[in-house]
Amino acid sequence: MFIDQTRPIVIERSPANAGMPDPCAKCDARGQSVCSAMDAADLSRLADIAVVQSYDPGATVVEEGDLAAYFYNITAGYARLCKLLPDGRRQIMGFPTRGHFLGLAVTTTYGFSVEAITPLRLCRFSRAKLRAVINDFPQFESRLLETAVHELVVAQGQMLLLGRKTARERLASFLMSELVTQEACACPRNHVHLPMTRADIADYLGLTIETVSRSFSRLKTDRLIDLHGGAAEVTILDRRRLAAIGDGET
């Protein structure tokens, strides 16, 4: 194990090089990630090319404009995908968490930055080495295609959210999306953990911090949600109504 002094990151060498235990054997994210397409007996192929990395909160994983040499599979923690506009404004494109696979929708350079919100752990795969695995395992290629299609659907939903929905509808959509994501990770039902800041949420929804705060308060007043820990923990009180608001039905 060595420390890269240029960024607050600890990199653990791949098991093929360092004799480490198979990182796939006890990975909690396998069920939610593209790795689930691989049989247990074949996971060693992925483990041999995986470099396990850990980042502190606030660290940069990928810098916008960097050469797109790697794919990343998040196994623990939360990150934010963001892009800077020419005038310095920031647009957050998403909050990937455990099971998310990053880097499919890029060409020669990354069109976004990836920053750790919480302590973040991920597996990094060389694009060239992963292509060899894809060629040998068609089921893995199919899962990657499903992931790419899902990313496209999410991007289309984000376009609708930013272009047509009201502030109340945007926040309701965001909370329902996080709820579905976290329930897939076996989180408590109707509970949403929001490790990101209000400013992060505002930059994702295309709103001001004040508007986000008012929208949270209104949803609470309407008995749709309850807030704990300064809105870091949200309980969904009326899932059906909140989903309807997010879909623009009320």
Side-chain angles (χ1 to χ4, degrees):
M1 184 171 67
F2 65 90
I3 298 178
D4 182 347
Q5 297 293 341
T6 62
R7 292 176 179 173
I9 167 180
V10 176
I11 303 178
E12 298 174 0
R13 296 174 61 195
S14 67
N17 294 331
M20 290 176 53
D22 186 343
C24 302
K26 296 183 179 180
C27 179
D28 292 334
R30 185 187 170 199
Q32 294 87 44
S33 74
V34 296
C35 305
S36 62
M38 302 283 284
D39 294 333
D42 297 324
L43 280 176
S44 60
R45 284 289 303 276
L46 282 180
D48 286 344
I49 64 172
V51 177
V52 181
Q53 300 181 316
S54 297
Y55 291 80
D56 292 331
T60 298
V61 181
V62 169
E63 193 81 53
E64 182 179 350
D66 280 355
L67 181 66
Y70 303 103
F71 296 110
Y72 298 89
N73 190 39
I74 297 179
T75 57
Y78 262 85
R80 55 176 164 256
L81 300 181
C82 50
K83 187 175 182 65
L84 286 179
L85 301 179
D87 61 3
R89 287 177 295 167
R90 180 183 70 165
Q91 176 63 52
I92 291 182
M93 302 153 59
F95 300 104
T97 186
R98 188 174 75 180
H100 282 77
F101 195 82
L102 307 178
L104 286 175
V106 296
T107 53
T108 57
T109 60
Y110 296 109
F112 52 81
S113 294
V114 180
E115 301 168 350
I117 294 177
T118 66
L120 188 68
R121 190 174 178 87
L122 50 80
C123 289
R124 189 188 73 187
F125 300 97
S126 160
R127 294 170 70 90
K129 292 180 179 179
L130 192 63
R131 287 193 188 98
V133 174
I134 292 171
N135 291 336
D136 291 341
F137 297 96
Q139 70 274 22
F140 187 63
E141 182 179 23
S142 296
R143 184 58 188 274
L144 286 176
L145 178 60
E146 291 175 6
T147 300
V149 170
H150 176 71
E151 287 184 2
L152 179 59
V153 172
V154 171
Q156 292 172 336
Q158 180 71 356
M159 290 171 61
L160 173 63
L161 181 148
L162 294 175
R164 294 297 179 184
K165 292 187 177 183
T166 66
R168 176 180 168 90
E169 291 168 349
R170 294 182 196 187
L171 182 57
S173 293
F174 170 67
L175 291 175
M176 288 304 302
S177 175
E178 287 297 308
L179 179 65
V180 171
T181 296
Q182 294 182 28
E183 283 184 340
C185 297
C187 294
R189 181 174 173 80
N190 291 334
H191 178 83
V192 180
H193 174 59
L194 300 178
M196 64 289 294
T197 66
R198 292 283 182 92
D200 287 339
I201 296 173
D203 285 346
Y204 176 69
L205 298 179
L207 302 170
T208 64
I209 298 175
E210 294 76 17
T211 300
V212 169
S213 295
R214 287 195 298 269
S215 298
F216 267 113
S217 297
R218 183 180 173 188
L219 292 178
K220 180 178 180 180
T221 299
D222 291 344
R223 297 293 299 161
L224 296 171
I225 64 173
D226 198 8
L227 305 176
H228 315 277
E233 309 292 335
V234 179
T235 300
I236 308 299
L237 302 177
D238 194 327
R239 185 172 182 147
R240 182 189 62 79
R241 284 181 59 204
L242 190 68
I245 290 171
D247 291 338
E249 296 177 5
T250 58

